[in-house]
Amino acid sequence: MAVELDVFVGNTTIMDEEVYQLWLDGYTVNDAVKVRIEGGVMEECEASADVLLSDTMDQYRTFQMCERLLHSPAKLANQLLFQIPPHRQAVLIERYYTFDDVFVREVLGKKLSKGTKKDLDDISAKTGVTLKSCRRQFDNFKRVFKVVEELKGPLVENIRQHFLLSDKLARDYAAIVFFANNRFETGKRKLQYLTFQDFAFCAGQLINNWTVGAVDNMVEDMDVDLDKEFLQELKELKILITDKDLLDQHKSLVCTALRGKTKAFNEMEANFKNLSRGLVNIAAKLTNTKDVRDFFIDLVEKFIEPCRSDRWTAADMKLYLTHYTNSAHILDTFKASQLGTGAHILATGIPEVHRHLISIGSKATPMHPYCPHSVAIERLDLRLMECTDGYHWDPQTEHCKDINECETIPDACKGEMKCFNHYGGYLCLPRSASVIPAPEPPITPTVTNPCPLGYEPQGDSCVDIDECERDEHDCQPSQHCINSLGGFTCQCPDGYRKVGTECIDIDECRYRYCQHRCVNVPGSFSCQCEPGFQLAGNNRSCIDVNECEMGAPCSQRCYNTYGTFLCRCDQGYELGPDGFACNDIDECSYSSYLCQYQCVNEPGKFSCVCPEGYQLQGTRLCQDINECETGEHQCTDTQTCVNIHGRYQCVDTNRCQDPYVQVSENRCVCPVNKPLCRDLPFSIVHRYMSITSERSVPSDIFQIQATSVSPGAYNTFRIRSGDENGDFYIRQINNISAMLVLARAVSGPREYTLDLEMVSVNPLLSYQGSYQTSSALRLSIYVGPYTF
């Protein structure tokens, strides 16, 4: 009597999500089985404990084999060893890189090195996370950090694209990388009330606003390095606390805005100077590495804790900081400054609030303030004692006296030249030259004047003489004569001051009337601005010029900055050497992993294309078109359509050859009553599969498994026919299953037809000898022309 042997054939990887999570959590196989039994899985599937143990062990082995691919998720999407649908791949990747907040809170900010990894035993005991899970999570942090360190551009986008993670998980990993890179102190006891999500929020704000990448998204480094230039400029904020007038004005603006809006107004007004000093000192010291690392603890100690002691609420803190920065923004001495957002550090810290956030606002560059007051308070004697070149101050006469350079300068004139002194300078003339003195005024008879000097008699009285009208004054032609009782004065024009009898130009530029540059001219001055600025209405201050509104030569985007402008490019372009033109980026030249088949560069972007027989899945992967499902095949009614890589194959519905007869679809049986069936397998099952060219070897490509076995039977597997060149071999797994292995790399298009036979020997079914029967699987293997 013949025994029918059913064989179940499949190639889909079976993965139970519950078992996968147990594996991720670090459970051993035995512990995982206990959890599954307690969850009622035995009642659901009516399986025995041994079967459940075997199933759990098989899945654990599969997960371990997949783990190498999960280290580089793009490889998991491209491999063909495990037949895993795309949606299931996404689940495997996302769960593998998911981490415990309680664990990451312990390692946040620490260096991702071997030293930290040695502490995982203590962290596991403290957090309750298994040691195996701690190691997986730590290795994931280190792996992501190492990969993105070599990439340029936005940090979150790099993590999302390279590791195929969701946006939320990519942002969390960006926070971990950012804190590890800058080594922020997060482990102090005073910071324990902050969760990882609190710090992740802060990291997102800092990455978007305080890093080098926030200013230039095409920098070579990843955008986790703080902008040192910006941190240096924060020192300018110290004027808010060092200038008493500015401090009082700032306090007045803040208190006016807060009055009547909070119960803590009195405390805010009383502690304004101390709180302002604390905030500004935090900002001004961020150029030091240690102060950057202590940024969060400084915020707690210098702002949050003082506010807590005065019983401020979280709303009070936010209201205070909002008005603090807004008031700094409108201070007259800062004019167009963006100081307001530069000091915007929002924090909450009261015990009743479960979510304590420290939100740092966008950065800004404060301007150097110009002095709002003219230099009007100077010592008068210092101003009067200044003499022009060629004169010196004579303290006896309190006037400027001419310097005789011919006496004070040795060899003032060279050669045969002779030195002649004159007011304010000297002349070098030939020795034969002479100086003709001015003619002496004619001597007139002296008339006795009974009136004082400057007066003349008129009748019996003395009246003032108007020397200016009579032209009896000695004012210079450039001076204006003003009569006075008993005399006159010589007044210099505007822009000049009188030194002795001379009018000397006032150098207004010495008194810093101009914000940028001052140019002195005779009798006046003019202010000039540095490039990128223009004079304000008062002709002294300089205001920024918005070059972007005045036709700056940027080919795509223009950003006005203080004193200049920056050109930026749209995504997919990079700034040229001239700083203005935007050139297309050839993304295809960066990496061979951008597209699964072929990358095509386009202006500002790139696209992926697939070969014939494939369609684009998403943006980069190529998915085989199943012509058998879409109806695009040309198989007849007596044929069956078989989908293969890039094409399809039509096979006869009945492929049974004599002496076999068809008993069901794809299954043929050789009746025992036919003599020719004696040495042939009892049944043949027809199956079809497709593989890619140049597949790595050795490679498991097909699994054959018996679904029912007689008690006492012993099974062996072999390749009965079709492998004349030895391209394949059979690796038996156990008594009921075996794996077909590709031994050598093969190229397509090509077709193999292999007869895989399972021989079953059962000594219990025969008294005279062992009973033997066999079944065969006729496997048609189609090798595609492509390697993916």
Side-chain angles (χ1 to χ4, degrees), residues 385-449:
M385 290 169 60
E386 295 176 354
C387 296
T388 190
D389 292 341
Y391 294 85
H392 69 90
W393 179 257
D394 186 352
Q396 294 182 356
T397 62
E398 295 187 353
H399 288 86
C400 289
K401 185 178 180 181
D402 176 60
I403 298 173
N404 189 341
E405 291 86 357
C406 295
E407 296 178 355
T408 59
I409 302 177
D411 297 330
C413 297
K414 305 294 184 181
E416 297 298 323
M417 306 299 285
K418 183 179 180 181
C419 179
F420 291 89
N421 184 61
H422 75 97
Y423 290 112
Y426 66 97
L427 297 173
C428 292
L429 300 175
R431 293 187 178 275
S432 58
S434 61
V435 177
I436 303 175
E440 296 289 338
I443 300 175
T444 56
T446 301
V447 179
T448 302
N449 185 2

Side-chain angles (χ1 to χ4, degrees), residues 318-339:
K318 184 173 182 180
L319 182 67
Y320 175 84
L321 286 172
T322 300
H323 289 294
Y324 178 88
T325 55
N326 289 344
S327 298
H329 178 64
I330 63 175
L331 289 175
D332 290 339
T333 54
F334 281 85
K335 296 298 179 185
S337 171
Q338 300 173 354
L339 172 65

Side-chain angles (χ1 to χ4, degrees), residues 525-598:
F525 70 98
S526 63
C527 294
Q528 296 179 354
C529 297
E530 300 293 343
F533 297 87
Q534 63 184 9
L535 277 176
N538 60 10
N539 290 325
R540 293 185 178 182
S541 305
C542 293
I543 58 176
D544 178 57
V545 174
N546 190 338
E547 295 87 351
C548 298
E549 295 180 355
M550 300 177 65
C554 296
S555 63
Q556 290 187 354
R557 288 183 289 144
C558 177
Y559 292 94
N560 185 56
T561 61
Y562 185 65
T564 184
F565 66 96
L566 296 173
C567 294
R568 290 292 177 265
C569 300
D570 297 332
Q571 186 173 1
Y573 294 86
E574 62 183 354
L575 203 61
D578 61 358
F580 306 129
C582 291
N583 303 322
D584 175 57
I585 298 174
D586 186 0
E587 295 87 353
C588 299
S589 64
Y590 285 169
S591 172
S592 59
Y593 295 103
L594 289 178
C595 296
Q596 188 176 14
Y597 177 66
Q598 183 178 354

Side-chain angles (χ1 to χ4, degrees), residues 188-208:
K188 298 290 186 182
R189 180 176 298 179
K190 293 182 179 181
L191 299 178
Q192 291 306 308
Y193 71 96
L194 290 169
T195 66
F196 166 72
Q197 291 304 324
D198 294 334
F199 283 116
F201 174 81
C202 298
Q205 297 296 310
L206 290 168
I207 291 172
N208 292 335

